[in-house]
Amino acid sequence: MSADFIPLPLEHGHLQKLVTADLVRPDHLLGAHPVAENGVEGVRFAVWAPNAHHVSVVGDFNGWNGFDNPMQRLDFGFWGAFVPTARHGQRYKFRVTGANGHTVDKMDPYATFAEVRPATASIIWRQSFQWTDDAWMASRTPGLDRPMSVYEVHVGSWARDEHGWFLNYRELAHRLGDYATELGYTHVELLGVMEHPFDGSWGYQVTGYYAPTSRLGSPEDFAYLVNHLHERGIGVFVDWVPGHFPTDEAGLAHFDGAPLYEYADPRKGFHHDWNTYIFDYGRSEVVMFLIGSALKWVQDFHVDGLRVDAVASMLYLDFSRTEWIPNIYGGRENLEAVAFLKRLNEVLHHMAPGVTLIAEESTAFPGVTAPTPFGLGFDYKWAMGWMNDTLAYFEKDPIHRKYEHHKLTFFNVYRTTEKFVLAISHDEVVHLKKSLVMKMPGDWYQQRANYRAFLALMWTTPGKKLLFMGQEFAQSTEWNHDESLPWHMAQLPDHAGVARLVGRLNALYRQRPDLHVGDIRDEGLLWTSADDEAHSVYAYIRRDPRPEAEGGGAWSITVANLTPVYREGYPVGVPQGGEYRLLLSTDDLEYGGFGTVQGSLTAQEGGLSGQTHRLNLNLPPLSVLILEHVGETRRSEDR
């Protein structure tokens, strides 16, 4: 992001490249660019509106007069104008007289800055920021064998100032950086970052695909946030929404008086559930608009990856609809969207090495994380099946859990078919779904005990981790996008104990290769007790599957007791004799538990569950233990 950026000339060859899907940074051609023409300083404006009868640019520089600066029709349906009176920081719009004869003032689809809502004007902006994260950028990677613990943050409601207004990105940078570092997260995922008109959409109805929302400051302020987090060793993902866009008149909808960015047939181009339009992935100009947006964030704003929203809605023509149009083969897949997603992943991985692309995809569509051309090419996919099964299990009264026992083991059947992120997101704590801790059965103590057990199982299950803000301190109220998190709650002992647990889990997860290296390999997890439905007890080994010569071989065992019954001396099979050490108990006093004391942690001969030895453990109610082997017991004559 540099002040000395030179836009591409508005020439036939460049316009043709955009029309033929060969120009992956169309924002270098279209939009508003401060330039000099024939020695005169001004701003060059360009827009795509092939169905328009007339287009002019209006703004602060001409008193919003539509007659002063008409735009010239160029090849392939593009329009351009140079305005010598326009300057950095001024507001503007395109006044479009469309195919339907109506004239509407439109936001610039390629604008990099906009007015704070409810105002909708775009702002001329020459972006400039001095980055200091070169070392980070050179080393970033999707890191399949590295720990990835993501803190999902809605930037508009993580914290507010004393007047209830949004923090500036720069203030958010320091507060969020301190907090994420304290809890040991490796990444943050930011939602609500791209410009959007309606707060209640949480940022998922985007009007500014190239612009950080002005609610929290300027593009340079947002760059400061990313740069600062990188300097703290924290990666940054942002939510990106290429599946649909809002019907707001000032936005992309019917941009030139006719369907343009959206499919013309509403059976293919309109989401009734969300009241939004669906992008036309069969148009090169639309595909380039979206790919250019993605590249803007990962190249110019240095974000480390995109979480791509609602991929399932893109992949299926019959998604949430009764009337739909089959593809050319009679199937339900949107072949144009499939081709777009493959192209997106290929381009981003080529032009932004090390970037991470994550799909929110909720179906069994094959090969989401398989390489192109046979797969879609994403690096990760949200594990929606794991999330649904695990929450469904934990919401059951413990007396009924024996009937749902294998909801917690089923993920192991398919966990290596894709590369998964175990995501507990904002979607699980809104619309009367309750916060996570309040989903749990029992009284307040049991709810917290269940929740601590849930977190420990999540952190020891193969897959990268994502937890939505507020859940790290067991927020008991639902998330409200219009308010700050209830930070006073985080100071209370019952809630602070859960936050300490999350910090400890992140530390173990980052320090121990057995908890992150073998995520996508079968040998990364071995169940040693998967069938004790009667007691709702589970035990499994996590192992670093690399040879010891390559630093591998580390392993630990996780044991869960998911009923409110204390079990003394419960036998658990282990693969080695000798001494064991307790790495974590969710029942510890510092996390809000009872502090149950273990007896001997020396494994005895006479194994079970296919293991050579056994440990007799005291299993606290509704708890999880994590243990490691520390050495063989010395014989008496060697002492």
Side-chain angles (χ1 to χ4, degrees):
M1 197 162 68
S2 173
D4 57 3
F5 164 71
I6 300 176
L8 296 171
L10 284 176
E11 296 174 350
H12 177 90
H14 294 304
L15 296 172
Q16 185 177 48
K17 280 189 173 184
L18 178 48
V19 172
T20 57
D22 286 330
L23 185 65
V24 295
R25 287 301 302 263
D27 56 316
H28 290 181
L29 184 67
L30 303 182
H33 296 287
V35 296
E37 291 194 3
N38 299 319
V40 178
E41 295 287 336
V43 176
R44 193 197 72 191
F45 297 91
V47 68
W48 177 52
N51 300 303
H53 293 316
H54 177 79
V55 183
S56 60
V57 59
V58 296
D60 293 333
F61 41 82
N62 61 16
W64 299 86
N65 185 331
F67 298 101
D68 285 0
N69 298 112
M71 302 185 77
Q72 178 186 359
R73 183 186 286 273
L74 307 172
D75 296 330
F76 310 113
F78 297 96
W79 300 74
F82 175 72
V83 180
T85 56
R87 295 290 182 268
H88 169 88
Q90 293 180 320
R91 299 172 301 159
Y92 72 99
K93 286 187 178 181
F94 295 118
R95 184 160 292 171
V96 180
T97 301
N100 54 8
H102 296 297
T103 299
V104 178
D105 286 355
K106 288 286 191 177
M107 304 168 65
D108 181 358
Y110 289 92
T112 57
F113 197 28
E115 288 185 287
V116 178
R117 58 89 180 102
T120 57
S122 303
I123 298 176
I124 300 165
W125 205 256
R126 182 189 292 273
Q127 298 177 197
S128 179
F129 183 77
Q130 187 63 47
W131 294 92
T132 59
D133 63 347
D134 290 352
W136 174 275
M137 295 293 288
S139 63
R140 68 180 180 179
T141 171
L144 290 175
D145 60 350
R146 295 186 183 184
M148 191 173 89
S149 180
V150 184
Y151 185 45
E152 187 189 28
V153 173
H154 177 255
V155 294
S157 63
W158 183 75
R160 299 264 180 118
D161 67 19
E162 62 273 19
H163 305 294
W165 188 247
F166 306 104
L167 300 181
N168 182 273
Y169 289 118
R170 294 175 187 257
E171 185 177 0
L172 178 65
H174 290 270
R175 293 175 61 172
L176 181 57
D178 289 345
Y179 190 70
T181 299
E182 178 184 357
L183 288 182
Y185 285 101
T186 65
H187 293 73
V188 296
E189 180 184 309
L190 306 177
L191 63 96
V193 164
M194 299 180 193
E195 194 59 82
H196 55 285
F198 177 45
D199 291 7
S201 76
W202 313 331
Y204 287 108
Q205 294 193 11
V206 178
T207 50
Y209 276 83
Y210 288 75
T213 178
S214 56
R215 291 167 175 85
L216 283 80
S218 69
E220 285 79 7
D221 294 333
F222 177 75
Y224 181 93
L225 166 65
V226 176
N227 190 72
H228 180 77
L229 291 174
H230 283 173
E231 290 182 330
R232 302 292 296 271
I234 299 169
V236 180
F237 301 147
V238 296
D239 275 22
W240 187 63
V241 191
H244 60 116
F245 60 90
T247 59
D248 295 60
E249 185 179 60
L252 297 175
H254 285 68
F255 189 83
D256 57 2
L260 185 65
Y261 286 88
E262 66 270 41
Y263 284 113
D265 193 317
R267 292 174 296 172
K268 195 174 181 181
F270 190 75
H271 272 306
H272 291 280
D273 287 354
W274 302 329
N275 192 37
T276 53
Y277 289 117
I278 301 170
F279 282 107
D280 183 348
Y281 308 107
R283 299 197 72 154
S284 296
E285 299 91 340
V286 174
V287 169
M288 291 298 95
F289 169 78
L290 290 170
I291 289 179
S293 165
L295 283 170
K296 172 77 175 180
W297 293 93
V298 301
Q299 289 186 322
D300 294 7
F301 287 118
H302 287 204
V303 303
D304 302 295
L306 304 174
R307 177 267 195 183
V308 182
D309 180 63
V311 170
S313 75
M314 302 169 64
L315 292 174
Y316 295 104
L317 296 163
D318 62 346
F319 181 88
S320 194
R321 63 177 71 242
T322 53
E323 290 188 68
W324 55 283
I325 307 171
N327 64 34
I328 58 174
Y329 303 111
R332 57 195 284 255
E333 296 80 14
N334 186 335
L335 302 179
E336 293 165 342
V338 170
F340 159 69
L341 290 170
K342 291 182 178 183
R343 178 83 186 277
L344 168 75
N345 286 308
E346 287 171 348
V347 170
L348 263 69
H349 285 126
H350 174 69
M351 297 193 67
V355 74
T356 302
L357 282 302
I358 304 169
E360 187 220 2
E361 204 286 309
S362 56
T363 75
F365 190 92
V368 172
T369 59
T372 59
F374 303 107
L376 295 183
F378 284 96
D379 297 292
Y380 296 101
K381 166 181 171 172
W382 273 17
M384 308 294 279
W386 167 86
M387 179 271 295
N388 287 319
D389 285 344
T390 306
L391 288 181
Y393 177 91
F394 270 90
E395 289 173 6
K396 295 289 185 185
D397 188 298
I399 199 170
H400 301 302
R401 284 178 177 170
K402 61 184 176 181
Y403 305 114
E404 308 287 341
H405 189 78
H406 288 291
K407 273 187 164 58
L408 293 192
T409 62
F410 183 62
F411 182 53
N412 201 52
V413 173
Y414 64 90
R415 68 173 179 82
T416 59
T417 61
E418 300 277 8
K419 305 175 187 73
F420 285 110
V421 175
L422 310 184
I424 299 295
S425 75
H426 60 280
D427 280 329
E428 314 317 319
V429 295
V430 289
H431 300 323
L432 303 181
K433 294 179 185 177
K434 304 179 181 178
S435 66
L436 286 184
V437 71
M438 300 308 290
K439 294 177 189 286
M440 304 296 163
D443 60 24
W444 176 233
Y445 178 84
Q446 291 175 325
Q447 286 178 309
R448 288 182 293 120
N450 270 300
Y451 185 46
R452 293 192 303 267
F454 168 86
L455 290 170
L457 288 178
M458 176 178 172
W459 255 257
T460 56
T461 295
K464 310 308 181 187
K465 323 299 176 190
L466 180 143
L467 191 66
F468 183 58
M469 66 183 198
Q471 309 316 302
E472 77 280 3
F473 60 80
Q475 177 179 345
S476 55
T477 53
E478 280 195 345
W479 169 51
N480 183 345
H481 67 271
D482 283 327
E483 299 177 357
S484 172
L485 287 182
W487 289 107
H488 64 280
M489 189 180 294
Q491 307 306 314
L492 301 174
D494 288 353
H495 298 272
V498 175
R500 282 193 291 272
L501 174 64
V502 171
R504 175 62 177 156
L505 287 169
N506 272 331
L508 284 175
Y509 173 63
R510 296 177 69 164
Q511 294 162 5
R512 297 191 60 87
D514 48 304
L515 295 180
H516 60 256
V517 171
D519 283 349
I520 60 172
R521 294 173 60 173
D522 289 333
E523 59 269 37
L525 181 143
L526 171 67
W527 284 95
T528 61
S529 180
D531 300 314
D532 190 358
E533 297 97 336
H535 299 102
S536 296
V537 172
Y538 302 81
Y540 51 87
I541 292 171
R542 290 298 310 278
R543 187 183 300 277
D544 178 355
R546 298 173 300 175
E548 290 190 22
E550 298 177 12
W555 62 275
S556 58
I557 185 165
T558 299
V559 184
N561 173 24
L562 301 182
T563 65
V565 178
Y566 171 67
R567 306 192 186 282
E568 185 173 0
Y570 185 92
V572 175
V574 292
Q576 288 181 266
E579 301 296 326
Y580 284 73
R581 180 167 71 96
L582 188 63
L583 294 171
L584 180 143
S585 169
T586 61
D587 186 59
D588 278 355
L589 290 170
E590 65 175 314
Y591 309 134
F594 279 124
T596 300
V597 176
Q598 290 297 323
S600 170
L601 289 180
T602 302
Q604 308 297 319
E605 293 184 354
L608 69 162
S609 305
Q611 305 303 306
T612 59
H613 292 74
R614 71 175 66 194
L615 280 171
N616 295 315
L617 300 173
N618 297 333
L619 303 185
L622 302 171
S623 66
V624 170
L625 310 177
I626 306 174
L627 304 100
E628 70 170 347
H629 183 250
V630 294
E632 299 295 332
T633 303
R634 291 179 295 173
R635 295 179 300 174
S636 57
E637 59 269 29
D638 294 333
R639 292 177 184 170

